[in-house]
């Protein structure tokens, strides 16, 4: 039987999601806890990686187990065993062929920027000193929408050969001293959100006009886009699957 | 010239506000930073203490300095020098006789309870597993209002001889899995908010009825009230002074 597990984590003390030797990762902690509780080595597959320091408000993983499991019983045990910065939010059975990565139809990320020093946001928001022209940033966001080749926001050395992503939503909101970016797409390239935010910040600081984002996208050249912003402001916010994934 | 400094801090890594030997405190860090920037030993007086692990969304302190200071210049320098979990929110001149502790006319505290494991609230909310009857808790809150002898919520060994406080506001609000208590009074006794929250939790868990809080207050006996809740859910939220304090 295949299960989906909804988790959340604060990435501050982890070398990202993906398991690797000699580094503490979220995947490793989760597999350890699952294997302990289910008394059987369990491997999980995530909807995607998150880099060192990046958080997840919702990350989805799948794994297989031959017996009936429930969130009420096993989710509770997992939460008790997992470190305090990883939590299990849901656990449910899915179709046998359901896949946390390949079946995701939409992913959303959130990037938080703090315009003032805030002792409660040091791990989850990037603090800057400049004031930002949010209207200009949102004007630029409109040019991000739709299915486009986003090689300009991709890591330079990558084995990806298709840079097309369909961005469905991209907008900034301001609330007091906190400025939050939400971006939603069918898929994201590595480092893409942080490169987009860095580029939009140049627009917010009025160093380049909102429309320049069109030329940057057209250039397909990472050098044309802005500098990547730090990891700790970023969180995977949501992963969406078709409703039919549960029909089992 | 006397100045008021508005600060905020995350108390997790501090042994409370008040300076003491062999322990890291907020007051010490603040005095160190002020003394460095103003090139003169500076002592500050806070509006009140906060215990180990307790946070402050707003704490107010006063200090004296013979020259003109401004938030724009000196607040900026202080924020750059202070650790990331202490921030300066404002700095302004007050009357020479203004006193951060004695002139405060109102203080507000906030206590956060999380009903679900949340990786982003581990340092700032007390996690419990029970569901709570918020309505019953708010019914009990009404009996807390007004000027009363609150010895029942006071630390047992204390040199205070007046247990009268005037509670002006006390109420719980629920938002998703987060339950927040706000209490506002002219003064608070040591450990008072945590003892009140512990007592209201017994009411929320329906172990005792809302009206029992009347007998608990009448008893003037700490044994009658509930167990103190942990420090990390508590934050000093606000300190209020008369407007005339700035007339200088």
């Amino acid at each position: 039987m295949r299960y989906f597990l909804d988790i959340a984590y604060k990435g501050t003390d982890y070398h990202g999601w993906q398991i690797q030797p000699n580094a503490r990762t979220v995947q490793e902690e989760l597999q350890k806890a699952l294997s302990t509780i289910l008394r059987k080595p369990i491997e999980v597959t995530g909807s995607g990686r998150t880099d060192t320091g990046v958080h997840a408000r919702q990350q989805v993983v799948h794994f297989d187990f031959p017996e009936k499991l429930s969130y009420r019983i096993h989710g509770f045990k997992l939460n008790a065993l997992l470190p305090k910065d990883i939590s299990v939010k849901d656990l449910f059975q899915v179709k046998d062929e359901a896949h946390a990565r390949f079946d995701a139809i939409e992913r959303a990320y959130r990037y938080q920027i703090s315009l003032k020093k805030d002792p409660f946001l040091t791990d989850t928001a990037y603090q800057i000193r400049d004031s930002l022209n949010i209207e200009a940033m949102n004007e630029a966001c409109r040019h991000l929408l739709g299915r486009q080749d986003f090689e300009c926001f991709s890591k330079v050395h990558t084995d990806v050969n298709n840079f097309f992503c369909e961005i469905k939503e991209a907008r900034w909101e301001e609330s007091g001293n906190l400025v939050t970016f939400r971006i939603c797409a069918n898929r994201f390239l590595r480092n893409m959100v942080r490169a987009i935010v860095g580029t939009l910040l140049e627009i917010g600081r009025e160093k380049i006009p909102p429309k320049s984002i069109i030329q940057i996208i057209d250039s397909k050249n990472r050098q044309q886009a802005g500098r990547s912003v730090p990891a700790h402001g970023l969180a995977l916010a949501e992963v969406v699957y078709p409703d039919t994934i549960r029909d089992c």
Side-chain angles (χ1 to χ4, degrees), chain A:
Chain A
M1 289 186 273
R2 180 153 290 189
Y3 291 93
F4 266 23
L5 199 60
D6 263 18
I7 64 169
Y9 49 85
K10 191 172 170 220
T12 314
D13 295 336
Y14 295 93
H15 285 262
W17 160 258
Q18 187 164 274
I19 210 159
Q20 53 187 289
N22 308 320
R24 191 167 176 246
T25 65
V26 179
Q27 187 182 12
E28 187 182 6
E29 290 291 336
L30 183 62
Q31 291 188 170
K32 263 197 329 209
L34 272 167
S35 305
T36 302
I37 280 164
L38 303 179
R39 295 170 190 200
K40 182 179 179 308
I42 301 284
E43 278 187 30
V44 303
T45 302
S47 71
R49 307 174 191 173
T50 53
D51 291 335
T52 299
V54 173
H55 318 289
R57 300 274 165 179
Q58 191 205 10
Q59 163 76 292
V60 179
V61 309
H62 77 246
F63 67 93
D64 296 317
F65 191 70
E67 290 159 40
K68 194 82 195 153
L69 300 176
S70 80
Y71 174 62
R72 212 177 52 80
I73 297 170
H74 303 92
F76 181 85
K77 286 187 187 176
L78 279 169
N79 274 328
L81 191 61
L82 281 166
K84 62 182 185 169
D85 45 14
I86 304 177
S87 76
V88 169
K89 295 162 69 182
D90 205 357
L91 168 64
F92 53 91
Q93 200 187 334
V94 290
K95 285 181 180 163
D96 287 352
E97 69 277 16
H99 195 287
R101 181 162 162 219
F102 301 133
D103 287 339
I105 49 178
E106 222 173 279
R107 293 164 171 90
Y109 280 89
R110 191 174 87 171
Y111 198 90
Q112 290 196 132
I113 290 174
S114 167
L115 302 176
K116 233 181 176 172
K117 186 177 182 183
D118 186 329
F120 299 96
L121 295 176
T122 49
D123 292 336
T124 52
Y126 171 39
Q127 193 210 327
I128 64 170
R129 285 185 209 142
D130 324 75
S131 61
L132 294 174
N133 182 339
I134 303 290
E135 227 171 286
M137 288 160 84
N138 274 328
E139 193 188 323
C141 281
R142 285 198 288 277
H143 302 296
L144 289 170
L145 301 179
R147 185 171 182 278
Q148 299 187 65
D149 181 318
F150 287 110
E151 187 170 355
C152 69
F153 297 126
S154 167
K155 248 185 132 81
V156 178
H157 299 290
T158 171
D159 45 10
V160 171
N161 48 28
N162 163 16
F163 298 99
F164 278 88
C165 307
E166 188 183 350
I167 299 185
K168 297 166 184 187
E169 192 190 327
R171 63 173 280 110
W172 290 87
E173 269 175 25
E174 213 173 349
S175 164
N177 291 309
L178 198 66
V179 185
T180 305
F181 180 56
R182 184 180 152 88
I183 185 164
C184 182
N186 65 329
R187 69 190 278 255
F188 287 94
L189 308 169
R190 279 204 75 183
N191 209 252
M192 178 170 164
V193 182
R194 289 161 62 189
I196 289 177
V197 171
T199 308
L200 293 172
L201 279 184
E202 290 192 3
I203 291 164
R205 287 166 172 144
E206 300 180 342
K207 287 183 187 168
I208 55 171
K211 280 214 168 103
S212 59
I213 201 152
I214 300 173
Q215 287 100 57
I216 292 169
I217 296 171
D218 284 346
S219 77
K220 299 181 188 181
N221 180 353
R222 181 65 187 84
Q223 300 296 319
Q224 297 295 307
R227 190 183 292 193
S228 274
V229 286
H232 70 279
L234 186 63
L236 176 58
E238 216 179 317
V239 192
V240 181
Y241 297 89
D243 288 339
T244 51
I245 207 134
R246 293 190 189 231
D247 295 344
C248 46

